[in-house]
Amino acid sequence: MARGTYERQAMVRRSATGRIGIAEVAVKAGVSHATVSRVMNGNFTVDPEIAARVRAAAAELKYQPNPVGRSLALGKTDTIGIVVPDLANPTFQAILRGLSRAAAQDGYRVLIADSFEVSSEEAILAGEARRRCDGLVLCAPRMSDAELEEIVPSLHPLVLINRTTTAADVPSLVVDYGQGVQDLAGHLVDLGHTRLAFLAGPPRSASNGLRLQGLEAFKADHPQVEVLMLEGGSDFDTGHEAVDAVLDSGATGILAFNDLVAMGLMSGLHERGVDVPGDISVTGFDDIPFARYTTPALTTAAVPITELGQQAWEQMRALIRKEENDAPGSRYQPRLEIRASSGPAKAPRTATHG
Amino acid sequence: MARGTYERQAMVRRSATGRIGIAEVAVKAGVSHATVSRVMNGNFTVDPEIAARVRAAAAELKYQPNPVGRSLALGKTDTIGIVVPDLANPTFQAILRGLSRAAAQDGYRVLIADSFEVSSEEAILAGEARRRCDGLVLCAPRMSDAELEEIVPSLHPLVLINRTTTAADVPSLVVDYGQGVQDLAGHLVDLGHTRLAFLAGPPRSASNGLRLQGLEAFKADHPQVEVLMLEGGSDFDTGHEAVDAVLDSGATGILAFNDLVAMGLMSGLHERGVDVPGDISVTGFDDIPFARYTTPALTTAAVPITELGQQAWEQMRALIRKEENDAPGSRYQPRLEIRASSGPAKAPRTATHG
DNA sequence: CGCTTATGAGAAAACGCTTTCTCGGTAGTG
DNA sequence: CACTACCGAGAAAGCGTTTTCTCATAAGCG
C-alpha cells in the first residue's frame, strides 16, 4: 500500500469487447500487462508483493485469460481434432470417449468432426479441424489411398486409426480384423458349420477390406468350407433387412460385419421364428457393451476399442511433444468372445426355403 | 503482367512458424496483406484483375487462413462447446450427434467436455469450454441449483438441456420425464399390475428427480397401486445387479430409470429363468436405437433425443445471432412405445422368494 | 567511492488476421 | 478547366496474449 497509486478508479472500465482482459487487471494492480502475464504464468521474476497484488486484482475481477489470444501468441491451442465417418457408430463413439478422456487428463480438449460417411468431405473437414487444433486423429477414413497419401503431409501431427500410410511420423493404430474374422470363422467351423456367409460392411471401409482379405485366407486354409458373400452395411437396419438374403443363402453360420448388424439380423431371425443358435449361428464384431446383453448373448470378436482411443492420444502426445516414439503405432488383436449366439450346426440346409 | 514487379522471388520464404501466412501470399501477388484479406473474404472493392492475381497466388501456395488469428480479429471462433456428464451414455451421445450435425450445417464445430459424472468439475469445464467457444450447451448438469445459478451469467450464450434456470436469455430444453414415467406406470396398471417398482437413476440427476415427482403424482392418483423405490444408476450393470432387489420386491411391473438399466435387468432376469413379460414386465426410458432390438423388444417412453440436440443448436444460433427468440426453450413429451417387454400381470407374487 | 553486475518491471514487438483510416488517382460535373 | 466525389489499395491500428528487449534501480566488489 506504500505506493498508493494503483486502483485509482473504483469502477473498472471494460475493454471494447465487454470482457475483462489483462489490461483491466494491469490497471487495477497498477502494473503493466506484461507483469500481469508473468504472474499468471508463474514467472518467478516478479516481486512477491507485486505478484500478490496482481493475483488479488485478478481474483477480484474474476479475470480469466482469453484462450484465443493465448493460442495466437503461443502457437498452440491445447486442442486436438478427430474426424469420424459416423458419430452414430458405437465404435467411433468409444474411440472418441477414450481419446477425450485421455486427452483431458493432459489438459487437452477434443474438437469433433463427423463426415457422415461422405468421403468427399473428409479431406476438407480434416484440413479445417487440423488448422484449428494442435493435431488430428483421422479415424477410419473412407477416402482412397491416393487421396489419403496426398493430404497426410499437411495434417501432421497426425494419428491414423484403422488405416495406414507410407508417410513417416504418422502412427497407425490398426485392428487386425483379418485375423479376427478368421478366428470367428474357425470357431463356427469347429462347431460343425460348413456353409458360412459374411454380411459385408460399407464398401469404402478399410476394415471391411481387411475382413475380406481374412476370409480369402480362411477359404484357402479350409477348402471344404463354403464362404458366401452378402451385401450389407454397418447398422441395425442393414442386418434386419438382410434376413431374406441370409435365409436364401442356406448358410448355417453367419459372420456379421459388426455387432450392430448381428443384432439387427438376430432380431429379424427372431421375428421369422428362426432359432439362434439352434437353426443358425450368428457372430458379430467389436464386442460393443450391448453385445453381452442381447438374447442370446452375442458371440463376437472383442476389440479393445476404448483403449484404442487412449492409445491414439498417447501417440498424439508423443508427436506434439516431439518425443522419440519407439513404437509408432500398434496392431490390436481381437479376442474371440464366445457367447450363446453360436452353437453346433444342425443338419445341412438347402439353398432354397419357403 | 503490366506491372511486372510482383513475384520477384521464385522461392517463397515462409514465416517464422513455418506455415504459409497471409504475408507470403501478399508478397507473391505483389499487394499488401490488407488486399489479400479483402480478396479472401469476398470483399468486392478490389480490382478484379488484382483479385485474380491474389487468388492465383493463394492457390499456388495452398494458403489457408489461420483460424486462430481470424478468431482473435473477429471475436468469434465458429465453435460451440458442450458439457456432458458421461459420454458413454447413449442419450448424451445422441444429443451430441444431433447438435454436431446441426451446427456443422451452419459452419460451426463442436468442442466436447466430459465431466465423468464429477459434478465439482462441471463449473470449471464449462467455463473453460465457454471461453474457447462462441456459446455453450450444458447438458443435464449434476451441479446444485445454487451453483448453476451462480455460473450461468458468465456462460452466456448458453443453452440448457434437462435443467432450468431463473436467468433470462437461457433457453432450456427439457423432457417431461414426470409425464413419461406416469404414462409408463399407467400402462402397466392397465395391464393389471398393482405392485410396481422404480429402479432409480443417479441421485444428482435432475431427470431422475422429475421421474420421482411424476411417480408421486401417480401414487396420489392411484392409491390402490403400490410403487416401491429401488436404488439404481444409469447403466447396464446397475440393471443387472438389481435383479435380486427386484425379485425381493415382489413387484410385477418394473420401471427402469432408462433403457440401459432395463436391458441389464432383463438380461439378469433371463439368467435367472424369469420370463419377461410372463413373470415380470419391464419398461425402459429414452427409446435408444437398441431398445427395439432386445428380446423381448423393450416397452419404453420415446424421447426425440437427436431432435433435441438439433433444437439445442437452433436455440444457440438464435442466441449467437442475437435474434429474437419467440420460443426460448421447449418441453418435450415422451411418447409411449409399447413393445413386448410388458404384458398382463399374472397372479400376485409374495414379497419373499427362494 | 566508483564501477560492474544482478534484478525486476515497463515498453514494444510478435503471433496472423480484419478493418478502419488515409490518401493518391481518376472520373464526373458545373 | 477546376473542383468535388468516389474508388481502390496501402498503412496502420486493433484483437489479447506472451516474450524479448531495454532500462532504471539496487546490490556487490575492488
Side-chain angles (χ1 to χ4, degrees):
Chain A
M1 304 301 172
R3 304 187 70 87
T5 56
Y6 64 96
E7 199 172 346
R8 253 163 280 172
Q9 48 208 347
M11 212 56 180
V12 181
R13 63 153 181 281
R14 313 190 158 207
S15 72
T17 65
R19 291 193 71 83
I20 299 234
I22 205 171
E24 282 73 32
V25 179
V27 168
K28 181 161 190 115
V31 298
S32 70
H33 37 275
T35 300
V36 176
S37 172
R38 280 189 273 257
V39 172
M40 298 306 289
N41 291 293
N43 187 324
F44 289 112
T45 72
V46 180
D47 185 301
E49 192 190 332
I50 295 184
R53 219 163 69 204
V54 169
R55 261 187 282 273
E60 198 170 337
L61 296 176
K62 295 199 205 308
Y63 166 68
Q64 304 281 144
N66 176 329
V68 179
R70 207 147 188 281
S71 289
L72 186 59
L74 293 173
K76 69 195 193 104
T77 61
D78 290 348
T79 303
I80 59 167
I82 180 173
V83 180
V84 297
D86 178 12
L87 206 46
N89 187 323
T91 301
F92 301 131
Q93 288 167 355
I95 291 176
L96 168 62
R97 188 151 38 92
L99 181 74
S100 165
R101 140 179 269 155
Q105 224 110 39
D106 288 319
Y108 276 72
R109 290 128 205 94
V110 176
L111 188 76
I112 62 174
D114 188 343
S115 73
F116 294 99
E117 294 277 3
V118 183
S119 61
S120 55
E121 283 288 308
E122 287 180 328
I124 299 142
L125 283 175
E128 284 190 354
R130 173 59 187 85
R131 282 195 302 280
R132 281 196 148 69
C133 302
D134 299 345
L136 189 70
V137 175
L138 206 44
C139 202
R142 307 308 203 203
M143 68 185 74
S144 70
D145 277 342
E147 196 176 3
L148 185 62
E149 292 295 339
E150 187 185 334
I151 66 167
V152 153
S154 70
L155 263 27
H156 194 268
L158 174 69
V159 172
L160 274 178
I161 292 184
N162 276 343
R163 205 62 192 269
T164 55
T165 170
T166 60
D169 263 342
V170 178
S172 276
L173 305 180
V174 298
V175 174
D176 194 342
Y177 292 99
Q179 185 59 52
V181 82
Q182 289 185 65
D183 292 349
L184 286 166
H187 163 65
L188 290 176
V189 169
D190 288 348
L191 286 169
H193 297 268
T194 55
R195 191 176 174 87
L196 309 181
F198 175 60
L199 223 44
R204 314 205 62 132
S205 157
S207 78
N208 187 54
L210 291 174
R211 287 174 176 86
L212 290 174
Q213 285 175 27
L215 286 175
E216 287 308 315
F218 185 84
K219 281 202 272 191
D221 290 351
H222 303 259
Q224 80 286 7
V225 178
E226 275 187 284
V227 183
L228 307 166
M229 298 296 160
L230 302 178
E231 300 212 347
S234 64
D235 55 14
F236 272 129
D237 298 334
T238 306
H240 199 260
E241 289 163 11
V243 172
D244 284 328
V246 163
L247 291 175
D248 285 348
S249 76
T252 61
I254 313 297
L255 300 155
F257 173 69
N258 64 17
D259 292 345
L260 262 53
V261 173
M263 290 171 72
L265 174 62
M266 288 205 298
S267 161
L269 290 173
H270 183 75
E271 289 166 10
R272 290 287 173 73
V274 179
D275 185 48
V276 176
D279 297 320
I280 293 186
S281 288
V282 175
T283 66
F285 211 115
D286 289 346
D287 194 27
I288 63 176
F290 295 85
R292 68 178 67 229
Y293 294 101
T294 58
T295 28
L298 187 62
T299 293
T300 190
V303 175
I305 197 70
T306 314
E307 184 194 329
L308 211 143
Q310 176 182 330
Q311 259 303 311
W313 168 246
E314 309 278 347
Q315 302 278 349
M316 179 60 75
R317 186 180 52 194
L319 244 41
I320 290 177
R321 295 185 181 167
K322 296 196 171 63
E323 293 169 357
E324 280 311 307
N325 197 344
D326 43 335
S330 2
R331 191 174 192 81
Y332 292 84
Q333 293 303 328
R335 183 173 33 80
L336 201 56
E337 201 66 61
I338 299 174
R339 301 208 181 97
S341 72
S342 57
K346 67 184 228 179
R349 295 159 46 87
T350 55
T352 50
H353 80 115
Chain B
M1 303 302 174
R3 303 187 70 89
T5 56
Y6 64 97
E7 199 173 347
R8 250 163 283 171
Q9 48 207 346
M11 212 56 178
V12 180
R13 62 153 180 282
R14 313 188 158 207
S15 73
T17 65
R19 291 192 72 82
I20 300 251
I22 205 172
E24 283 72 31
V25 180
V27 169
K28 181 160 190 115
V31 298
S32 70
H33 35 276
T35 300
V36 175
S37 172
R38 280 189 272 257
V39 172
M40 298 306 287
N41 291 294
N43 188 323
F44 289 112
T45 71
V46 180
D47 184 302
E49 191 190 332
I50 294 185
R53 218 162 68 203
V54 169
R55 261 188 282 274
E60 198 171 338
L61 296 176
K62 295 199 206 310
Y63 167 69
Q64 303 282 143
N66 176 331
V68 178
R70 207 147 188 282
S71 290
L72 187 58
L74 292 174
K76 68 193 191 101
T77 61
D78 291 349
T79 302
I80 60 168
I82 180 173
V83 180
V84 296
D86 178 14
L87 206 46
N89 187 322
T91 301
F92 301 130
Q93 288 168 355
I95 292 176
L96 168 62
R97 189 150 39 92
L99 181 74
S100 164
R101 143 179 267 152
Q105 225 110 39
D106 288 320
Y108 276 73
R109 289 127 206 98
V110 176
L111 188 76
I112 62 173
D114 188 343
S115 73
F116 295 99
E117 295 277 2
V118 183
S119 61
S120 55
E121 283 288 310
E122 287 180 327
I124 299 145
L125 283 175
E128 284 190 354
R130 174 61 188 85
R131 282 194 302 281
R132 283 198 146 68
C133 303
D134 298 345
L136 190 69
V137 175
L138 207 45
C139 201
R142 307 310 203 202
M143 69 184 73
S144 70
D145 278 343
E147 195 176 2
L148 185 62
E149 293 295 337
E150 187 183 333
I151 66 168
V152 154
S154 70
L155 262 27
H156 193 270
L158 174 69
V159 173
L160 274 178
I161 292 185
N162 276 343
R163 208 57 196 271
T164 55
T165 171
T166 60
D169 263 342
V170 178
S172 275
L173 306 180
V174 298
V175 174
D176 195 343
Y177 292 99
Q179 186 58 53
V181 82
Q182 288 184 65
D183 292 348
L184 286 166
H187 163 66
L188 290 176
V189 169
D190 287 349
L191 287 169
H193 298 268
T194 55
R195 190 176 175 87
L196 308 181
F198 174 60
L199 223 44
R204 313 206 62 133
S205 158
S207 78
N208 187 53
L210 291 174
R211 288 175 176 85
L212 290 173
Q213 285 175 30
L215 286 175
E216 287 307 315
F218 185 85
K219 281 202 272 190
D221 291 350
H222 303 259
Q224 80 286 5
V225 178
E226 277 187 283
V227 183
L228 307 166
M229 298 295 162
L230 302 178
E231 300 211 346
S234 65
D235 55 14
F236 271 128
D237 298 334
T238 308
H240 199 259
E241 289 163 10
V243 172
D244 284 328
V246 164
L247 291 174
D248 285 348
S249 74
T252 61
I254 312 297
L255 300 156
F257 173 69
N258 64 18
D259 292 344
L260 261 53
V261 174
M263 289 172 73
L265 174 62
M266 288 205 300
S267 160
L269 290 172
H270 183 75
E271 289 166 9
R272 290 288 174 72
V274 179
D275 185 49
V276 177
D279 298 320
I280 293 185
S281 288
V282 175
T283 66
F285 210 116
D286 289 345
D287 193 27
I288 62 177
F290 295 86
R292 68 178 67 231
Y293 293 102
T294 58
T295 28
L298 188 63
T299 292
T300 189
V303 175
I305 196 70
T306 313
E307 183 194 329
L308 211 142
Q310 177 183 330
Q311 258 302 311
W313 169 245
E314 309 279 345
Q315 301 278 349
M316 178 61 74
R317 186 181 51 194
L319 245 41
I320 290 176
R321 295 185 181 169
K322 295 197 171 62
E323 292 169 358
E324 281 310 307
N325 196 345
D326 44 333
S330 2
R331 190 175 192 79
Y332 292 84
Q333 293 303 328
R335 182 173 36 81
L336 201 57
E337 202 64 62
I338 298 174
R339 301 206 181 98
S341 71
S342 56
K346 65 184 230 178
R349 296 160 44 88
T350 54
T352 51
H353 81 115

